[in-house]
């Protein structure tokens, strides 16, 4: 099957106006595979696959290199508005290429005993942004690399990075009359792209379509390991940046709202996260997504462990819970209401028995904002640890 990519090329015309031209690039469209989900290099091309139980059609929008030179794909500089004061410019994911290699220099997991860990929780930007840090690349992954020797001198052997998957720090941008400045989501607990490092924490910004940012993150992990320091990520699978039923449509809501979120019968969002929505973690499709994501960060990025924000949500029954839609078989009388805490949650079971994930550190923040408090009794399968809220 033959097809075309229709890109929009913007050229400056006389008097400062902009002329719009359409650029047509021929492509060959072949039959793809349903798995794995996402964009995957394969057979000289890229396989695209998404899940949707309700969609009648799907549109794949590809940007050409000329689009990247005129069009706004994302924001490159932290805290800076896009053209026209836009807080939400069009965000596009980089299409992976199979030959984009990184020299790990023989890096292997440190496998430090958990009882011996001295964990330093840190914000990637905040740790080195101030001039007193005296680094060449303040507020970035590379800036943190420059401080690894200092951390080693302190006796730190594990760093836990506050959220550094792609998020929009300007999602709540508005004037704060109390402080006399504008609101910014500094912490980042509002993930947009679970498979991308935060691009505005990279000194290279969007260079090379964001691939350099990925390499900066990998360099941070590699150099940390050289200093005897493991790297953990604070991950947010309890909710997303799409808010409640009045929020923006960025990804999951548009693909399959009823699969990816816990919904009430009239379409309202359950809010065990306190952030407007609750990720439907124990649905088969959603838990596959979560496991795929975690495996990516371990296999591709060499991450040593994860701290799961509001992890108790990951133990709650998904929307329309029953054995048939979770395990493939039905048991008479087995029906739980949405959000009921489970003694053996399928997602925690799946993570705990995964051949890749069971070998890394798994740390639960064992509560949520819906009143579920599981400190001392989080389903641990013998390998999970907990933050002690007491």
């Amino acid at each position: 099957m033959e097809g075309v990519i229709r890109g929009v090329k913007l050229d400056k015309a006389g008097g400062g106006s902009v002329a719009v031209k359409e650029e047509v690039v021929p492509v060959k469209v072949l039959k793809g595979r349903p798995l794995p989900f996402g964009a995957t290099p394969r057979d000289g091309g890229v396989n695209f696959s998404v899940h949707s139980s309700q969609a009648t059609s799907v549109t794949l929008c590809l940007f050409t290199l000329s689009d990247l030179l005129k069009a706004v794909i994302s924001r490159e500089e932290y805290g800076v508005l896009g053209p026209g004061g836009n807080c939400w410019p069009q965000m596009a994911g980089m299409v992976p290429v199979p030959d984009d290699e990184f020299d790990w220099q023989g890096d292997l997991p440190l496998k430090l005993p958990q009882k011996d860990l001295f964990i330093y929780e840190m914000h990637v930007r905040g740790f080195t942004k101030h001039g007193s840090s005296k680094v060449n690349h303040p507020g970035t992954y590379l800036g943190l690399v420059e401080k690894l020797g200092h951390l080693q001198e302190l006796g730190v052997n594990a760093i836990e990075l506050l959220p550094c998957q792609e998020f929009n720090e300007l999602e709540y941008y508005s004037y704060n009359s109390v402080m006399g400045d504008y609101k910014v989501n500094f912490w980042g607990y509002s993930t947009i792209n679970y498979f991308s490092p935060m691009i505005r924490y990279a000194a290279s910004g969007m260079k090379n379509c964001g691939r350099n940012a990925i390499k900066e993150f990998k360099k941070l992990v590699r150099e940390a390991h050289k200093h005897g320091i493991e790297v953990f990520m604070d991950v947010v699978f309890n909710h997303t940046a799409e808010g409640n039923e009045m929020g923006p449509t960025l990804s999951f809501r548009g693909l399959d709202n009823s699969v990816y979120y816990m919904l009430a019968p009239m379409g309202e969002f359950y809010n065990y996260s306190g952030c407007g929505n609750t990720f439907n973690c124990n649905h088969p499709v959603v838990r596959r997504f979560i496991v795929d994501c975690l495996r990516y960060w371990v296999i591709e990025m060499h991450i040593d462990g994860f701290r799961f924000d509001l992890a108790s949500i990951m133990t709650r029954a998904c929307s329309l819970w029953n054995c048939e839609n979770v395990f493939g078989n039905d048991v008479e009388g087995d029906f739980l209401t949405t959000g009921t805490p489970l003694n053996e949650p399928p997602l925690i079971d799946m993570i705990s028995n995964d051949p890749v994930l069971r070998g890394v550190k798994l740390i639960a923040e064992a509560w949520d904002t819906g009143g579920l408090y599981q400190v001392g009794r989080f389903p641990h399968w013998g390998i999970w640890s907990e933050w002690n809220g007491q």
Side-chain angles (χ1 to χ4, degrees), residues 33 38 90 115 123-124 157 159 161 236 245 252 257 326 346:
R33 295 178 180 177
Q90 174 67 52
K115 64 181 179 63
H123 188 285
V124 172
N157 58 11
I159 53 175
L161 307 179
V236 186
E245 57 271 16
F252 301 108
N257 192 46
V326 174

Side-chain angles (χ1 to χ4, degrees), residues 29-90:
V29 181
L30 304 176
K31 182 179 181 181
R33 295 178 180 177
L35 293 175
F37 291 141
T40 309
R42 168 178 173 258
D43 301 335
V46 179
N47 187 79
F48 294 93
S49 176
V50 296
H51 170 85
S52 182
S53 61
Q54 304 293 328
T56 57
S57 65
V58 176
T59 299
L60 175 63
C61 182
L62 299 175
F63 296 90
T64 65
L65 287 177
S66 62
D67 292 323
L68 296 176
L69 298 173
K70 297 297 181 183
V72 178
I73 305 303
S74 184
R75 291 183 299 101
E76 187 170 31
E77 188 175 353
Y78 185 94
V80 177
L81 296 170
N86 191 356
C87 295
W88 286 96
Q90 174 67 52

